[in-house]
Amino acid sequence: MKFENMNIEKSVLGSLNDIGFEEPTRIQYESIPIIKKGYDVIGQSETGSGKTAAFGVPLVEKVVKGGKIQALVLAPTRELARQIASDLKKFSRFKKLHIQTVYGGVSIRPQISGLRKAEIVVGTPGRILDHMRRGTMNTSNVKIFVLDEADEMIDMGFIEDIETIEKNIPKNRQTLMFSATMSDSLIRIRDSFTKNAKKIKTKIKVSDDILKQYYRDVNQKTKFSLLVHLIKQEKPGLSIIFCNTRRTVDAVSRNLKDNNVNATALHGGLSQARREKVMEDFHKGITRVLVATDVAARGLDIKNVTHIFNYDIPKDPENYANRIGRTARAGKSGKAISLLSRDDHGSFTRIIKTFSYDIEKMKITNFKVLPFKKYQPNRNRNFRSRRPFRKRFRGKSRRRW
Ligand code: ADP
Ligand code: MG
């Protein structure tokens, strides 16, 4: 099957040709015609299988130039919101649609003026709600509502924000939800946000021969040494090391630098300018090792990521699936290696049970034991000093990356 035979608007087809998409992936092939017909869709497919275009292509087809905000796309992180917006820009290149990103940590003024001309808005729930409350975003003409990685937005504690947003957009719209993982937490909004939704579920696990998973038991004290050993042995292209907390991310990245590994930290405690610089350098391969919290677990599509290391094991099995899904995307292969100390075993067992994963024990010969310095949490200017706006009017605690 080719995109040419899918009855896609000429200008959009032209953009797909330009970016080199010829054949639709399975989820695209199944979703695009149904979305074009106007159905609500709940789509699930493996990481890296092209879900963005599955909703993005019919979305840009339906949106008309100069017709106010017609599509609203929600994502759990700022990085993902930027990436989706950038993809939608590519798909709509010849239609010249105005796509506005809306997320916190940056000045609100340019967003306000951008929103006046926008036909598509992509953002994170907190700042979108902020604009709705300020009356700076006219949602009266929204016809398509997309929730990318909806399960993550709910698990993060965004459910009330999302419900408030949903109450303030037209009822007779089309709703699309896409994710590689769908947890039970989704049921509440799935049933209240959609009408007669078509469920489209293709393969949800990346094949074992493309994404190879390994684990290794290790003493907490020598975990860092093993990580350094593995980086030197595996010689990754780009790699992401996931940790469960900001503090561990900072400590691991600093210790890696002490050991001549050019690593950069990414987590939600950094300023937005810093987050953007880190992502840019990683995309360009200027830094080849990213040490991150789960802020980077969802949706990000970075070419040449060959290795994922789990320095800690995530509590949510879904986040494990999404972390490892940052590699082995779009048919490329990749490796995921989890370092297990005593505290990690409970979570790891749950992950294996949830997804029936085949995870191989990694054989490792001796490795050099290195010191691991305890650094004080970073307080430099790259750190956010202002409390985020949404915290000021709601006390509920959220998961923090
Ligand atoms: P998902 O959301 O399912 O994790 P993405 O939408 O991020 O996946 O797409 C993963 C990668 O596959 C991206 O680099 C994207 O450019 C590429 N891709 C998507 N659809 C196609 C296609 N039809 N042909 C070729 N590459 C594609
Ligand atoms: Mg995605």
Side-chain angles (χ1 to χ4, degrees), residues 51-52 148-149 299:
K51 291 184 285 297
T52 321
D148 196 20
E149 310 280 348

